Amino acid sequence: MSDGNGSSSGGVQRPVGIDELLERVRAGYERIEPQEAYEAALAGDALLVDIRYAALRERDGLIPGALVVERNELEWRLDPQGSHRLLEATSHALRVVVLCNEGYASSLAVQSLHQLGLHRATDLVGGFQAWRAAGLPVV
């Protein structure tokens, strides 16, 4: 018997598809558009973090000033309490804007960063492709 929230009376949650999972995750924070992310990064109010894999970065280019952190290292590099953190991972109040290629994997990454206490983490709507389509800098 289901309680309407995906749980059954036996404590087992019903499986959700990726679309529903993304919707749930994204409901917990406000995503950022490319122009706003660009302006925040320029002003020093946000740290852009590119989690795309190497082949995409080589093919499409990089956003100037964005930190490249492979997705499988993200939590270790951005945890302000972690022994493997980047110098830029200074506090849990850090505003991090995660970007992937099209804005899907980055949403799941943000959920993980929120669980680490990085409550201002967000992701870029449309990812790198939206950034480039907006005519923002790429090298």
Side-chain angles (χ1 to χ4, degrees):
M1 177 175 271
S2 175
D3 66 6
N5 291 319
S7 295
S8 67
S9 57
V12 177
Q13 290 191 352
R14 71 168 173 82
V16 298
I18 188 62
D19 293 331
E20 184 178 344
L21 179 61
L22 281 170
E23 185 178 320
R24 287 181 184 182
V25 166
R26 290 172 175 168
Y29 66 96
E30 188 173 327
R31 301 178 79 207
I32 191 169
E33 295 289 335
Q35 187 64 41
E36 184 183 353
Y38 174 68
E39 291 169 7
L42 274 181
D45 294 332
L47 178 65
L48 300 180
V49 179
D50 186 344
I51 64 168
R52 294 175 300 144
Y53 54 89
L56 289 176
R57 294 191 311 266
E58 291 167 9
R59 182 189 77 189
D60 294 338
L62 298 168
I63 295 173
L67 286 179
V68 173
V69 179
E70 296 285 338
R71 174 61 191 100
N72 64 330
E73 296 180 357
L74 185 68
E75 292 82 358
W76 285 267
R77 299 295 185 218
L78 292 183
D79 178 4
Q81 299 174 334
S83 60
H84 295 6
R85 73 179 183 276
L86 295 169
L87 293 176
E88 293 84 355
T90 56
S91 91
H92 286 95
L94 181 66
R95 184 178 185 197
V96 176
V97 178
V98 181
L99 64 111
C100 63
N101 195 47
E102 295 181 344
Y104 296 100
S106 57
S107 294
L108 298 176
V110 166
Q111 178 185 33
S112 182
L113 294 178
H114 284 179
Q115 291 173 329
L116 285 175
L118 292 157
H119 61 276
R120 294 182 67 207
T122 187
D123 73 320
L124 188 66
V125 175
F128 179 86
Q129 297 305 323
W131 178 281
R132 185 170 62 181
L136 296 170
V138 174
V139 294

